[in-house]
Amino acid sequence: MRPLSEPACPTRRPQPILCAGVALALGAGLLLAGGLPGGAALAQTPIKPVPAPELDGGVAWINTGKPLKLKDLRGKIVVLDFWTLCCINCMHIMPDLAKLEEKYKNEVVVIGVHSPKFDNEKNTETVRKAVLRYDLRHPVVNDADRKIWAAYNAEWWPTIAIIDPEGNVVSGSAGEPRVNIRGIEAVIDGLILKHRKNKTLNETPVRFDTAEFRDGPDTPLYFPGKVVADAKGKRLFIADSTHHRVVVTDLDGKKIAIAGKGQPGNKDGAFDKAQFDDPQGMAVDGDTVYVADRKNNSIRQLDLKAQTVKTIAETAARTFTLPGTPRAMACTPWDVWLDGQRLFVAMAGCHQIWTLDLKSKKFAPFAGTHDEEILDGPRLSAKFAQPSGLTSDGTRLYVADAEVSAIRSVPLDGMGPVATLVGRGLFVFGDRDGPGRVADPSQEMTTEARLQHPLGIAYHDGKLYVADTYNNKLKTIDLGTGTVTTFLGGPAKKGEDPMFNEPAGLSIAGEDLYVADTNAHRIRVVNIKTKEVRTLELKDVPPVEQPKVEAKPKK
């Protein structure tokens, strides 16, 4: 994705933009949008040093008591990570960066540069929530106006720049497949040897004030991602995502069971011993629940009677590798939808819809090419961009296609094209009601409805209910007319809390719409007829004790 080459809301549909997971290759090396001053190539082998631009222009810093200056970090190897919180490719490399920080804690300082794509991502509180959700423990600067991004001529999320102890950019990479942890380690090892010999390496650990790392929400849920209401069984299933567990209650919030011990991991077994890692979408079939275990790249099965968890499919072995790149890209299952013996899976990381045959265990792509874009047509030629929510009316599968701010439809029987109900492209988004995608593209910017990074979707009585996540709204799409209408939510009045704070999961039982209100750490219940909204009171659901992170002032 390249926001500097297209405006955030272009007046025309932009030309196809390369996937965020693809690096821009020029000649033998990689460039950050034409290179740093002097045309320096960034590759994961050392290059001619180029003075690193200072980290000026950020509007706020997180996980540090004061703004950082590169000049104050002389003697350290600095790794800059340019990311944005919606970017699945950025999420994929975060565990690698955490390993890097631990391995080189005496020599390396990692700094996150959050350069936003969507309007919602410019807000410091939104970035801070993402830092908590993704468990980032290094300093992060909110580069809301993309000034640091511009200084480094970045064009891709993620982009890595490596700065030597003398303040020079010496290496880097752009796009997830090029961000290879072993390549970065090789560069760092070389820099350590060189600067230790030259006595220009500072090996005294630098610590930062991380007192705000955990905000300790006074609620049993922590960034719940998805919710499923089982009207027949009178049960509610909550993906308590950053507590790494699945909470089961009745429809009034009384605890029935909890699957997962509350710490990230990948372990099958009894509910109280099993481990998940950021579970998201779920599908219920009697006493069996299927779970998209996002960071584990797997589908887990819960047996509610036996109270056990087991892995039934893994996607990590089915990653794809782009030609000329050193790493495979994880498919990252984000939501599931059950249709008979087929489990549809929204693969956010490889931009596809897959199906898992629950009898044969065959697991394969059903729609999408894995190119990150928006393109209708035959299902295996169509293109998606981070599909993150699924629902169905029994004939078609509807997809919340987050990165293109779109709602797509796919025939369940596979006999027909993928179609777009709302949405135009990677950098076409907003907050506008009205008709869905119109036939005349010249009318699109004045008449077409707009969403901003929707993550959740539910079907009910001829309408789609959409979690318009970054607009903090719920919207409906009338499948008869194609009209998009705000149902509830939006900016809060002065002095009041918003009705929703990045809602990401929806499910309906009877006349009640259950909402996973992710950044507010709660489940909201909306009566569809009266629009009355209440927060579900969870009973007997204990919170997970958060790790205590002691405040460590910078030396």
Side-chain angles (χ1 to χ4, degrees), residues 52-55 68-75 78 165 167 554:
E54 192 49 87
L55 302 178
L68 302 182
K69 294 286 187 181
L70 290 178
K71 66 180 182 180
D72 297 330
L73 295 173
R74 293 291 187 266
V78 178
K554 180 187 172 189

Side-chain angles (χ1 to χ4, degrees), residues 203-223:
E203 298 187 67
T204 301
V206 177
R207 304 186 185 278
F208 303 96
D209 183 357
T210 57
E212 66 176 327
F213 176 72
R214 288 291 190 190
D215 62 359
D218 192 17
T219 171
L221 304 179
Y222 200 45
F223 296 107

Side-chain angles (χ1 to χ4, degrees), residues 424-501:
R424 283 282 173 179
L426 285 164
F427 297 96
V428 183
F429 57 86
D431 183 4
R432 184 189 302 133
D433 292 351
R437 197 171 186 180
V438 298
D440 181 356
S442 68
Q443 299 297 311
E444 66 176 81
M445 295 310 297
T446 57
T447 65
E448 281 189 3
R450 289 285 175 265
L451 306 172
Q452 189 180 184
H453 201 73
L455 291 176
I457 189 168
Y459 171 81
H460 178 71
D461 196 22
K463 290 183 179 179
L464 296 176
Y465 289 79
V466 178
D468 193 4
T469 306
Y470 283 2
N471 285 325
N472 296 315
K473 288 184 175 183
L474 305 184
K475 294 186 178 180
T476 61
I477 302 176
D478 188 310
L479 291 176
T481 66
T483 302
V484 178
T485 305
T486 294
F487 183 66
L488 283 172
K493 295 180 181 178
K494 189 175 181 179
E496 296 183 2
D497 292 330
M499 183 177 292
F500 304 106
N501 192 337

Side-chain angles (χ1 to χ4, degrees), residues 227-238 247-257 284-287 304 507-510 512 514 536:
V227 62
V228 173
D230 172 26
K232 184 177 180 180
K234 298 180 180 180
R235 298 168 300 187
L236 192 69
F237 299 85
I238 303 167
V247 173
V248 187
T249 72
D250 63 19
L251 294 176
D252 294 321
K254 183 175 177 57
K255 186 189 82 169
I256 295 174
V284 180
D285 184 15
D287 288 319
L304 296 176
S507 189
I508 296 173
D512 284 334
Y514 291 82
L536 184 68

Side-chain angles (χ1 to χ4, degrees), residues 89-106:
N89 311 95
C90 302
M91 297 177 207
H92 287 165
I93 73 166
M94 287 172 180
D96 287 344
L97 292 175
K99 293 175 184 176
L100 194 84
E101 292 176 85
E102 179 61 28
K103 181 175 181 178
Y104 299 103
K105 55 189 174 184
N106 294 335

